[in-house]
């Protein structure tokens, strides 16, 4: 029997189902994550720091966070389109 914080998976599952029935989906999802860690063999896993990725926290199609320019950075001027590709 796998235990986490004095509770086994069945206790966590019952609490998860009760939270979902009470429309407390955040608690239910946290408990679901704890159950999946325990089922994966995480007997000594600390699940207190598990959080889900928030929408908009990451760039589209990437796993890197949005970059912010360093202080004092100035955006360069756009080139003049009338001189593009012009030879002298």
């Amino acid at each position: 029997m796998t235990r986490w914080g004095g509770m086994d998976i069945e206790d966590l599952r019952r609490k998860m189902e009760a939270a979902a029935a009470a429309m407390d989906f955040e608690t239910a999802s946290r408990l679901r994550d704890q159950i999946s860690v325990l089922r994966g063999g995480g007997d000594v896993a600390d699940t207190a720091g598990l959080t889900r990725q928030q929408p908009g926290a990451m760039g589209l199609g990437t796993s890197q966070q949005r970059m912010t320019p360093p202080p004092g950075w100035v955006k360069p001027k756009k080139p003049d389109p009338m001189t593009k590709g012009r030879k002298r």
Side-chain angles (χ1 to χ4, degrees):
M1 175 175 5
T2 307
R3 298 185 71 77
W4 177 81
M7 286 191 247
D8 63 0
I9 291 178
E10 284 303 310
D11 291 337
L12 290 172
R13 187 187 58 77
R14 279 189 225 103
K15 282 188 168 197
M16 177 187 69
E17 290 174 357
M23 303 281 197
D24 185 4
F25 298 116
E26 289 181 18
T27 302
S29 67
R30 183 179 47 79
L31 290 167
R32 182 200 59 219
D33 292 343
Q34 291 172 355
I35 290 169
S36 60
V37 166
L38 289 175
R39 284 187 177 154
D43 291 333
V44 242
D46 180 20
T47 58
L50 285 181
T51 57
R52 291 212 167 263
Q53 176 181 336
Q54 298 301 313
M58 305 295 257
L60 182 63
T62 180
S63 63
Q64 296 191 4
Q65 295 181 351
R66 292 189 179 136
M67 302 300 289
T68 57
W73 182 80
V74 178
K75 186 175 180 176
K77 294 186 345 187
K78 286 187 173 182
D80 185 6
M82 297 299 288
T83 61
K84 181 179 180 185
R86 187 166 186 225
K87 295 182 181 178
R88 289 196 166 209

